[in-house]
Every structure is written in C-alpha cells, then in structure tokens.
Amino acid sequence: PYARHPSQLYQAGLEGLLLIVVMTWLFWRTQARWRPGLLAATFATGMGLARFVAEFFREPDVQLSEFAARTGLSMGQWLTIPLIAVGLAFLIRALIRPPLGAAKQA
C-alpha cells in the first residue's frame, strides 16, 4: 500500500478554515462590505483556488486517470478554472465600481 495525502484535511483547511479567516478579515477589517459583489467574488475565487490546489493531492478517479495523465490536470482542476475566471471577473468589476454611499459623499 502506498502512503496517501490526507486530501480531505487539505480541503477542510483551505476551503473551510482559510476562507473563513479571509472572509471574516475582509468583512470586519476592510471596506469590502461596502463594495457590492466583492465578498462574493472573493469567496468564489478563493474556493476555486483552494479546490484547484487540493486537487493536486487527490487521487484522480479511476475512469479519468488517463485524461489526467494526458492533460496534466485532473477533471476537478479543469472544472474549477471557470469558477476562478468568473470569480476574478466579478472581483475586478467590484473593485472598479464605486463603494456604496460614494455618490452621496461627492
């Protein structure tokens, strides 16, 4: 038997604990809550990146092992790329738009 990585623990740490810490910090310590979509976009991007990294340590599904060997990425990684791209697009959009209440102050 081969030693295997505890990929579920990596997922819990990255997708759970790390994202909770980042989201809580952004909400309470920055002005992110006043920028519509910023927290949701950060969550989507973070979830996609965490999942992408965790997939490096996961054993590929048997029926997809040839696909993973051919492309260099697992199916899970390929499926998270659109999530990361959409998250980044919304993140940029949220950062470009003015914060809530900015029109009243001007």
Side-chain angles (χ1 to χ4, degrees):
Y2 293 102
R4 293 176 35 191
H5 284 272
S7 62
Q8 296 89 343
L9 295 177
Y10 298 161
Q11 285 180 285
L14 291 172
E15 297 172 21
L17 185 62
L18 180 64
L19 268 178
I20 287 172
V21 168
V22 168
M23 297 300 293
T24 303
W25 182 82
L26 280 174
F27 185 83
W28 291 110
R29 302 288 182 193
T30 70
Q31 299 294 315
R33 67 183 119 165
W34 306 117
R35 293 189 166 271
L38 183 61
L39 292 173
T42 302
F43 181 79
T45 305
M47 182 62 81
L49 289 171
R51 182 69 186 203
F52 190 88
V53 170
E55 283 287 326
F56 278 113
F57 302 102
R58 219 176 137 256
E59 186 175 331
D61 297 327
V62 175
Q63 71 272 20
L64 298 172
S65 59
E66 182 183 327
F67 175 78
R70 215 171 352 131
T71 63
L73 297 175
S74 71
M75 180 61 79
Q77 288 171 316
W78 282 109
L79 293 174
T80 58
I81 290 172
L83 177 63
I84 296 168
V86 168
L88 286 173
F90 279 108
L91 191 66
I92 292 167
R93 181 176 182 260
L95 290 172
I96 290 173
R97 296 179 70 191
L100 292 176
K104 295 176 186 176
Q105 293 173 357

